[in-house]
Structures are given as structure tokens and as C-alpha cells.
Amino acid sequence: MSKKLKDIILPDLGEGIDGAEVSEISVSTGDIVKEGDTIVVLESDKASMEIPSDFDGEIKEVSIATGEEVHIGQLLAKIECEEVVKKDLQLDTEPEITNQEDSPKEDRQPSKASKTPVAKAHHSNDNVFASPGVRRLARELDISLSHIAGTGQKGRITKDDLNNHIKSQIASQRGTAVSINKEIDFSKWGKIEEIKLSKIKKITGQRLQQAWQSIPHVTQFDKADITKLDQTRRTMNNDLPEGKTKVTFLPFLMKAAVETLKTMPDFNSSMNHSAETLIIKKYFNIGIAVDTPTGLVVPVIRNVDQKSIDELSLELVEISQKARSKKLTPEDMNGGTFTISSLGGIGGTYFTPIINPPEVAILGVSKSRWEKIYNHTEKSSSAAYVMPFSLSFDHRIIDGAAAAKFTGDFGKSVETLSFLENSK
Ligand code: CAO
């Protein structure tokens, strides 16, 4: 078998890359390499790539240096081989053809003679064929490349293969909250009943899980004296004409929220899709969390700033009836700018509501209680009807100081009912 000296030249790197910097030379003169062994590692502004040898042989000359910028078609090394091996990398003018089949992926390990940098880079993913960039990312994310089928040349695992694998893993975990649990036979320990989740529960569950996992939530707690609000509401309800809707606390809280949002517009915003700008909305559509037998839904009441307490009361009754009779349309739930979740009619003191994306904050209202408040100036105590509330906010957009101001201002608005003077 005659020996032939071959040029190893830089092949087309794809993805519009015409050159790259040599970050590592994995061979030196005299090394015996096998097909698939890394000759050189390149770093471009887009990717990190291993350039492998396409045939077995002895390196006779290394024609590049670390740090050098190399371009497609440039000579990387000269190799002496027993017979001409296959394709692309070899630009030899002699059209010699090999019968050798592509070796299986498992066989493409670096030869014993190949230099240590390559061997070092392989770690637990040794038996696979992938670039250092892909290996590095897989190592960082603790992903075994042996589980991924490579679609690149000769079964090489590309960056896209790894990305697709990560995406499919995320998608499979996103399914339901259940997917993060192990399958357990609970009947081992006693009697059980298995109930199918409603569609609303599944969809809401996914949205809540996504919001909770992707938004850095912080919750600020505060209280407001709503004695005046309670009296005003009672008066309105006492004088209620036949057939008119009873007023609850929520319409007042919606108005107070809008009054506060007008002065603190960041709370009435959304981050744009690339997370580079903040979109401030000049309209005030308040989502209201409604508890229904089949799950939680959040219909939106539009242009709250332009509506009276009576109008909001009526709309609240209509929308919550629509929610409970499963008649809400997607349109009823779109376009919200801020959400209020009220557990005031049920109980509890404070809770941490989950933000309703793409909104950036949500108010959680808890049940009011009569408390004895000590007035330091007058040195006397009096009874006050006190409403605890919480504000969860997206900390990427809102700082804690702004949130504390928001809850303070909202509390003041609720206490003084200032919005009644300024609106319908
Ligand atoms: N403090 C004290 N009492 C309160 C109160 C508060 N903060 N909020 C409401 N109440 C009272 C109401 O005044 C009413 O009492 P009266 O009949 O004596 O006037 C009673 O509680 C029932 O009110 P309501 O809850 O029916 O009415 P609402 O306008 O406050 O709320 C709605 C409407 C649709 C928001 C509510 O019915 C609902 O579904 N709440 C649950 C929302 C939810 O589940 N959120 C949790 C999401 S996080 O998992």
C-alpha cells in the first residue's frame, strides 16, 4: 500500500462563517491520527468548531499557529496516509476512492496518539462526535450527549441538535405540574380516588408554572384602613333601588389601583418580546381573578378609569357570572394591564399572588378585620376596618422601593377615596 502526502485544508464551515481563529491545535508533527480525530479547534464569533481528520495517517506538518485567523480553503496540516480517504476536507487532485464505510459514532474516539487537549475536552461525553462548544454547553447543563442523535456530517452532534434536545426536554416538563413528579402508586398506603383535571385547571396550571418559573417575583405586604370605604359602600347599598346591583369592595379597589397606576406607569407596563424595551400602556384594563368550580379564570374589565363604581359593580357581576357559567371568550380575557385577585370574601391574612404575564404586577386582597389602632398624636385608640393586601411584582422591571411606594399610595387612595372626586 503506497503512502501519500495529503493536504488538510479548512472546509466550508457553514452558517455564513468564512473564517475563524485557531483556539487549539490538537496534533503535532509525528502524531498518528485516526479518522474523526480532532486536528484543530476553531472559535468564530458564532460558534466553536472541531475540525476532524477525514482519514488515518501520520501528521507530517502543521501549517497554522494558535491565535491565527484561518479562512476556508487554507492549508491546516499535511498528513501521510496509507490510502486516500474520503471526501470534502481532502482537496487532493488525485481522484482516489475508498471502500471504507463511515465508521459508527462509537468508533470515532480520539486515537491514543492524539494530543491531550482533545482528550481532556471530552470528559463523560467521550464516545460522541461533537464540537467543543457543544460539549462545553452539554457539560454546563449536565446533559449526556450520548442521548442525542447527531444530524451533522458523519453523525456529528450539532449545536442545533443540542438546542432541539433542550427544547424537547423543556416542552415535556412544561406539560403539567405532574410531570415534575415521579410516578408513584399512592394506593400502596391507603385508599385513593383519581380525578381528571379540568381543561381550565390544566391551562391555568401551565401558565402559573411558566410565570412562576420565568418571572423573578417579589411580594410587598401592606394594610389600609378602609373604614370610610366600608361606610360609603354600606350607604350606597342601603339606598339601593330595586333591581340594582349591590356594591362590593372590588370596584373601589379597582379605581384606587388605576389612580395609583396613573402616577406609577411602570406598573401598567409589559416588557417587549426581546426584553429590551418597556411598553407603557396608557389604558387601564384590570383583570379580576374569578374562582369558578372548574378553576381560576381572569376576565378583564376595560377602561376602568372611564367607568363609575356602579358601572364597575354591574360589569363585575356580569363577568363573574359569565366566568362561572363557562361563557367567557378569549377576548374577555385579553388585553389586561394589571390584575387584582381578591380573597377578601373568603379569608386569610396576606397571600403571594402570581403575576399574570405579560403584566408586571398583581394585587392580592385579603379579608378585612376590625383592629384597634393607636393614634400617637391624640394618645387614644379607635377601631378601624383594616384590609391587608399584597403586591407581587416583576423585579426585573420594578424595584422594591417603587413597590413600597405603590402599596403606600394605593393604601392612601383606598383610605381617602380620592378617586371618587376625580372620576365619574
Ligand atoms: N374584606 C372583607 N370583606 C370582603 C372583602 C374584603 N377585602 N372583599 C369582599 N368582601 C365581602 C363582600 O363585601 C361580600 O360581603 P357582603 O355580601 O356582606 O357585602 C362578601 O365578602 C363576598 O364578596 P365577593 O367575593 O362575592 O365579591 P367581590 O366583589 O369581593 O369578589 C370575585 C368577586 C369574583 C372576585 C370573587 O367572587 C372571587 O371569585 N374571588 C376569588 C378570587 C380568587 O380565587 N383569587 C385567588 C387567586 S390566587 O390563587
Side-chain angles (χ1 to χ4, degrees):
M1 217 178 279
S2 64
K3 295 201 173 192
K4 286 194 163 48
L5 197 60
K6 302 287 175 193
D7 290 348
I8 300 174
I9 61 140
L10 184 62
D12 185 352
L13 302 170
E15 299 182 38
I17 304 168
D18 65 348
E21 190 184 301
V22 177
S23 68
E24 202 175 283
I25 299 170
S26 310
V27 292
S28 47
T29 309
D31 281 352
I32 305 296
V33 295
K34 281 194 176 299
E35 179 196 358
D37 285 355
T38 302
I39 301 291
V40 60
V41 181
L42 304 177
E43 296 277 346
S44 80
D45 52 350
K46 292 187 181 165
S48 168
M49 297 149 282
E50 263 179 53
I51 306 301
S53 169
D54 247 19
F55 38 83
D56 300 349
E58 184 185 338
I59 299 292
K60 286 292 183 189
E61 180 189 310
V62 176
S63 320
I64 43 159
T66 308
E68 185 182 332
E69 182 80 13
V70 289
H71 297 278
I72 296 167
Q74 185 171 335
L75 178 69
L76 302 177
K78 286 182 185 282
I79 185 166
E80 188 179 67
C81 36
E82 297 284 350
E83 60 178 12
V84 175
V85 195
K86 309 164 280 179
K87 55 194 190 186
D88 309 317
L89 291 183
Q90 179 60 277
L91 287 196
D92 197 323
T93 46
E94 272 186 76
E96 292 186 60
I97 294 163
T98 176
N99 292 328
Q100 200 182 327
E101 292 281 306
D102 270 12
S103 55
K105 220 161 46 170
E106 296 71 44
D107 294 336
R108 290 189 197 108
Q109 296 176 44
S111 70
K112 286 194 178 67
S114 79
K115 290 289 175 185
T116 47
V118 175
K120 261 196 263 156
H122 284 193
H123 285 291
S124 59
N125 286 318
D126 310 28
N127 296 337
V128 293
F129 198 39
S131 73
V134 168
R135 287 176 190 285
R136 196 180 311 123
L137 188 59
R139 243 194 334 268
E140 281 166 15
L141 298 174
D142 203 18
I143 292 171
S144 168
L145 289 176
S146 61
H147 297 143
I148 304 175
T151 61
Q153 204 184 25
K154 292 194 268 165
R156 175 176 283 253
I157 297 168
T158 65
K159 206 169 157 198
D160 281 348
D161 295 331
L162 181 59
N163 284 341
N164 290 338
H165 174 77
I166 294 167
K167 278 184 208 155
S168 75
Q169 291 290 306
I170 292 170
S172 72
Q173 294 207 350
R174 226 185 242 154
T176 63
V178 172
S179 67
I180 57 173
N181 296 334
K182 284 194 208 131
E183 195 176 347
I184 300 171
D185 177 12
F186 293 98
S187 66
K188 277 195 301 198
W189 301 291
K191 217 172 153 191
I192 58 160
E193 183 189 355
E194 198 160 359
I195 299 164
K196 210 165 183 278
L197 288 179
S198 70
K199 207 169 166 205
I200 289 182
K201 257 210 151 56
K202 279 198 255 178
I203 294 169
T204 312
Q206 280 174 26
R207 281 183 59 84
L208 288 170
Q209 188 180 345
Q210 245 178 318
W212 184 249
Q213 286 176 335
S214 57
I215 302 172
H217 280 70
V218 178
T219 306
Q220 168 76 19
F221 304 102
D222 213 333
K223 292 178 178 186
D225 177 350
I226 60 159
T227 314
K228 186 174 170 188
L229 164 49
D230 188 42
Q231 280 159 1
T232 308
R233 187 183 78 92
R234 281 176 198 281
T235 310
M236 285 170 88
N237 286 340
N238 283 342
D239 303 338
L240 211 62
E242 255 301 297
K244 218 169 159 227
T245 315
K246 194 176 93 176
V247 179
T248 62
F249 290 107
L250 257 181
F252 293 92
L253 305 182
M254 292 161 78
K255 292 296 272 188
V258 168
E259 188 173 60
T260 317
L261 290 170
K262 278 185 174 173
T263 59
M264 302 192 73
D266 283 7
F267 289 81
N268 203 52
S269 74
S270 289
M271 198 138 52
N272 86 328
H273 70 285
S274 62
E276 276 171 8
T277 62
L278 199 60
I279 298 161
I280 307 279
K281 290 158 231 171
K282 310 281 173 148
Y283 50 88
F284 301 91
N285 296 344
I286 305 294
I288 300 293
V290 179
D291 183 34
T292 78
T294 45
L296 187 70
V297 285
V298 188
V300 172
I301 299 192
R302 289 170 206 282
N303 304 316
V304 170
D305 54 322
Q306 295 162 32
K307 291 176 180 163
S308 68
I309 296 288
D310 283 342
E311 284 169 329
L312 291 174
S313 296
L314 187 62
E315 216 173 310
L316 249 170
V317 170
E318 284 169 359
I319 205 93
S320 43
Q321 274 168 2
K322 214 171 162 188
R324 287 178 178 133
S325 55
K326 298 198 218 164
K327 299 233 165 73
L328 286 178
T329 62
E331 188 51 27
D332 289 326
M333 292 181 276
N334 284 339
T337 60
F338 182 86
T339 294
I340 302 181
S341 176
S342 173
L343 292 175
I346 303 166
T349 320
Y350 302 114
F351 65 105
T352 54
I354 296 179
I355 295 162
N356 187 19
E359 296 164 24
V360 297
I362 180 169
L363 193 73
V365 178
S366 297
K367 192 173 177 67
S368 311
R369 288 181 179 83
W370 284 97
E371 286 181 13
K372 210 171 180 185
I373 306 286
Y374 181 69
N375 185 320
H376 189 67
T377 327
E378 292 174 10
K379 302 215 175 331
S380 65
S381 299
S382 60
Y385 199 40
V386 176
M387 181 185 78
F389 61 95
S390 328
L391 177 85
S392 293
F393 55 95
D394 184 337
H395 208 348
R396 292 171 302 176
I397 293 164
I398 294 159
D399 291 335
K405 181 169 177 349
F406 187 97
T407 56
D409 288 0
F410 170 78
K412 236 175 254 143
S413 180
V414 166
E415 279 172 16
T416 58
L417 303 181
S418 46
F419 49 85
L420 290 181
E421 294 146 28
N422 306 328
S423 68
K424 280 175 87 173

